[in-house]
Amino acid sequence: MFDGGFMNQPFAFGGEEGKDKFDEQIIYRSSLQNFLIDTGSEVILVDTGFNTGMAAPAKKLGAPLYMGEKVADYMEAFAAAGYKPEQVTKILITHKHPDHTAALQYFPNAKVYISPEDADAMKLEGDNIVRAQYGEPYKNFPNAQQVADGIWFIEAKGHTFGNSIIIAENDGLYYVFHGDVTYCDAALKANKLSIVFEDKGAARQTLDRVREFIKDNPTVYLSTHCPEGYENLEMKRVMKL
């Protein structure tokens, strides 16, 4: 939806030590994308972007984050991928923020999977809202729910009180859709928390678990806010820490 942006190091790395510990002149690429999983029998979205017509944030000198130039509205990008809204059966929400949830209303047949905490925060109600029931472990994550064959909805608190990640297994690879566990891949590799919104301690625990998972499993790391997210997917690039 957006590309060609940037974030500075304090924004990307400063969640624990503080922004003043990092160099604002060091910048990393930024973008905005969400993901779609076509299983052959289901069309599943991981997050939805901003609602149609959302204006591009202005580019400001010295800003910690510039999302980039607007490429397309979420629904334009969705249509360009070759799908229709009524085909979507499930939407898996990593967390409540509008760059991950604002287009939910466009999908009339979709069940929306979301943590109870973030569902409450968004005041989501209705028969289509499925509050996650984390009833079993998955690998090194203690609380998970299988939502389709080879697709897991996993408790990963920190960025929000109900933050989640999604892992999909395919052809021996593990695709980690992580929302905002880190804002850029450089933060993952450097073992740094990006700016945290709600629970710093839980965010550290989640990042530790994600890094442990990546060390033990061939993982394609799919970020929302940096171009490595779509580049890793296109190349099926396995993350090396």
Side-chain angles (χ1 to χ4, degrees):
M1 294 166 280
F2 292 82
D3 210 350
F6 61 83
M7 65 184 80
N8 68 17
Q9 191 181 63
F11 183 82
F13 282 24
E16 280 179 308
E17 296 99 323
K19 293 185 287 186
D20 60 332
K21 302 297 183 183
F22 299 96
D23 186 349
E24 64 182 15
Q25 295 189 49
I26 297 176
I27 62 171
Y28 305 99
R29 296 185 298 159
S30 181
S31 59
L32 179 63
Q33 59 274 337
N34 298 136
F35 298 93
L36 178 151
I37 304 170
D38 188 337
T39 71
S41 59
E42 288 196 88
V43 176
I44 300 173
L45 303 181
V46 179
D47 290 339
T48 69
F50 291 114
N51 58 317
T52 298
M54 184 268 184
K59 186 177 184 179
K60 295 181 180 179
L61 184 67
L65 171 68
Y66 170 56
M67 197 175 301
E69 297 295 324
K70 190 172 184 178
V71 176
D73 278 320
Y74 182 86
M75 294 308 295
E76 291 174 343
F78 174 83
Y83 295 91
K84 297 179 180 179
E86 57 269 22
Q87 291 178 272
V88 175
T89 54
K90 295 184 176 81
I91 303 174
L92 312 179
I93 298 299
T94 62
H95 65 286
K96 63 189 176 184
H97 295 146
D99 50 335
H100 300 259
T101 61
L104 289 175
Q105 71 270 22
Y106 301 128
F107 300 97
N109 300 325
K111 296 288 187 182
V112 178
Y113 287 73
I114 186 170
S115 70
E117 297 90 343
D118 280 9
D120 288 344
M122 294 180 68
K123 296 181 170 59
L124 293 179
E125 297 178 353
D127 294 339
N128 67 316
I129 303 302
V130 181
R131 292 166 179 260
Q133 297 179 346
Y134 309 106
E136 56 188 307
Y138 176 78
K139 303 289 188 177
N140 64 309
F141 296 98
N143 295 311
Q145 176 182 0
Q146 189 169 13
V147 295
D149 187 31
I151 302 174
W152 295 81
F153 194 85
I154 299 167
E155 186 179 66
K157 295 183 177 185
H159 183 65
T160 67
F161 290 129
N163 202 76
S164 306
I165 66 172
I166 290 87
I167 297 179
E169 305 171 3
N170 189 58
D171 291 339
L173 296 177
Y174 296 84
Y175 293 82
V176 173
F177 307 83
H178 68 85
D180 294 356
V181 170
T182 60
Y183 289 152
C184 64
D185 288 15
L188 173 79
K189 293 175 182 179
N191 196 17
K192 299 295 183 183
L193 288 181
S194 300
I195 296 300
V196 176
F197 282 89
E198 293 185 344
D199 190 328
K200 186 187 298 184
R204 165 45 61 188
Q205 186 176 56
T206 288
L207 182 57
D208 289 346
R209 284 179 176 149
V210 168
R211 284 172 54 85
E212 179 184 354
F213 182 89
I214 289 169
K215 288 175 182 176
D216 293 340
N217 303 279
T219 299
V220 181
Y221 190 70
L222 300 176
S223 295
T224 300
H225 292 291
C226 68
E228 289 95 329
Y230 62 79
E231 292 169 355
N232 291 344
L233 179 60
E234 288 169 355
M235 293 184 280
K236 296 184 180 179
R237 182 166 55 197
V238 173
M239 175 59 66
K240 304 294 185 185
L241 296 179

